[in-house]
Structures are given as C-alpha cells and as structure tokens.
C-alpha cells in the first residue's frame, strides 16, 4: 500500500474527520464526570485519535489551556514545535520509532504547538489525552502578530500560521 493509501485507509477505518488545525481526528473518549475549572465546567478527560497524512501533513500553530499527553500509535516521524510564550524558547521533539525519537510527548497547558510529518513519513497516528477535557473555549490559533514577538522563530513558525 502506498503512503497516501495508508493515510486514506486510516481515515476510513477510524472514521476520522478533518480537523480545523489541519490533519484528521476523531474523539474516542469523553469522561462522564465533570470538573469545575476557572473557565467553566469541563469533562475530566477527553481523548482523540489525530492523524497527519501526505494530503494533510501539518498541524497549525495553536495552544490549549489543558495539558495534553501524546502517544505515537503508528507511522512517523512527526516533529512537534513547542513555543513557550513566557521566555520565547522553542523546543523541537520528534515522535517516531527510531533511536533518538520518542513515543510519548507531554505538552503543558498554555504552550504553543505545531506539528508536521518529516523525513520519509507518509502518515503519523498520534492519540491524545486532554486534561481537563477539550473545549474550543480553551483553544486559540496563532496569528502573525504573535510571531512578531519572536523574530528568532518567525520564519519557521510562519509555515504553521494561516494568512
Ligand atoms: N484536540 C484535542 N482534543 C480535541 C477534541 O476533542 N476535539 C477537537 N476538535 N480538537 C481536539
């Protein structure tokens, strides 16, 4: 099966939908229990499958108030770019099955995150657990004004911002 076919097969098999960040996703778990947060009630935890493919190889730069745990399920390598707005540091992490790559990534709430397939990857299937559970009210996309504050990272991160 060719790379494009493998991604398309996973989209069909897992009944994934297009994600506004780019890529594909499906909610696979929503806790039946609620949690009070400073921003309102949320499920205790939610979880999704998230897939990048040759047709959808990038996840746009965004952040969420919740902590997010990422587990590589298949494919890769996929690179994550993590910008800490507090001090301007940019961390690059590769999820993959080779030496020097990780199978797990923890992203604390508030960190800006983008992702892309790298190397010979034709897909990457990553499952995420979001705590407190996902809500669009906790989510924001980056714009070019954010990048103006971090000129040292602007060129790279501009690849992940919609104009
Ligand atoms: N990103 C992480 N979890 C979710 C979710 O449940 N829904 C959406 N749309 N995006 C997410």
């Amino acid at each position: 099966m060719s790379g494009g076919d493998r991604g398309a097969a996973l989209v069909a098999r897992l009944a994934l939908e297009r994600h506004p960040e780019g890529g594909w996703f499906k909610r696979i778990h929503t806790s039946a229990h609620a949690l009070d947060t400073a921003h309102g009630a949320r499920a205790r935890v939610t979880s999704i499958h998230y897939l990048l493919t040759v047709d959808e190889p990038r996840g746009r730069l965004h952040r969420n108030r919740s902590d997010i745990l990422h587990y590589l399920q298949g494919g890769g390598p996929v690179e994550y770019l993590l910008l800490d707005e507090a001090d301007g540091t940019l961390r690059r992490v590769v999820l993959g099955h080779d030496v020097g790559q990780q199978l797990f990534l923890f992203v604390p709430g508030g960190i800006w995150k983008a992702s892309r397939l790298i190397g010979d990857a034709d897909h990457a299937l990553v499952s995420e657990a979001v705590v407190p559970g996902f809500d669009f009210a906790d989510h924001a996309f980056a714009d070019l004004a954010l990048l103006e504050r971090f000129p040292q990272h602007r060129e790279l991160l501009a690849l992940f911002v919609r104009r």
Side-chain angles (χ1 to χ4, degrees):
M1 202 183 267
S2 76
D5 291 347
R6 243 191 311 265
L10 279 168
V11 169
R13 181 153 74 83
L14 300 174
L16 305 181
E17 296 165 27
R18 277 182 199 278
H19 198 290
E21 289 162 17
W24 306 86
F25 84 111
K26 170 114 183 156
R27 175 80 66 92
I28 54 173
H29 178 74
T30 304
S31 170
H33 303 284
L35 200 63
D36 277 331
T37 77
H39 305 278
R42 302 285 185 266
R44 265 191 209 162
V45 58
T46 59
S47 188
I48 61 167
H49 286 320
Y50 183 74
L51 178 73
L52 292 177
T53 61
V54 283
D55 295 333
E56 289 281 337
R58 283 185 195 160
R60 286 168 60 200
L61 186 65
H62 67 281
R63 71 174 172 190
N64 197 287
R65 287 195 185 105
S66 293
D67 291 344
I68 306 188
L69 302 98
H70 302 72
Y71 303 86
L72 182 67
Q73 302 266 26
V78 52
E79 181 182 42
Y80 283 81
L81 305 170
L82 305 169
L83 174 69
D84 186 336
E85 195 179 14
D87 60 8
T89 52
L90 183 73
R91 194 156 71 96
R92 298 169 76 142
V93 175
V94 175
L95 295 190
H97 298 277
D98 284 340
V99 175
Q101 303 175 348
Q102 303 180 188
L103 296 174
F104 169 75
L105 169 66
F106 171 67
V107 178
I111 296 292
W112 293 97
K113 175 182 89 177
S115 57
R116 63 175 168 187
L117 295 180
I118 58 170
D120 60 2
D122 54 43
H123 74 285
L125 177 63
V126 176
S127 295
E128 301 182 10
V130 183
V131 186
F134 183 88
D135 191 304
F136 266 112
D138 299 324
H139 180 281
F141 282 114
D143 58 16
L144 291 175
L146 174 82
L147 301 193
E148 292 307 318
R149 293 168 44 205
F150 305 103
Q152 69 276 35
H153 307 309
R154 188 174 46 207
E155 194 179 331
L156 175 59
L157 293 181
L159 298 171
F160 301 92
V161 174
R162 188 169 283 168
R163 287 134 208 274

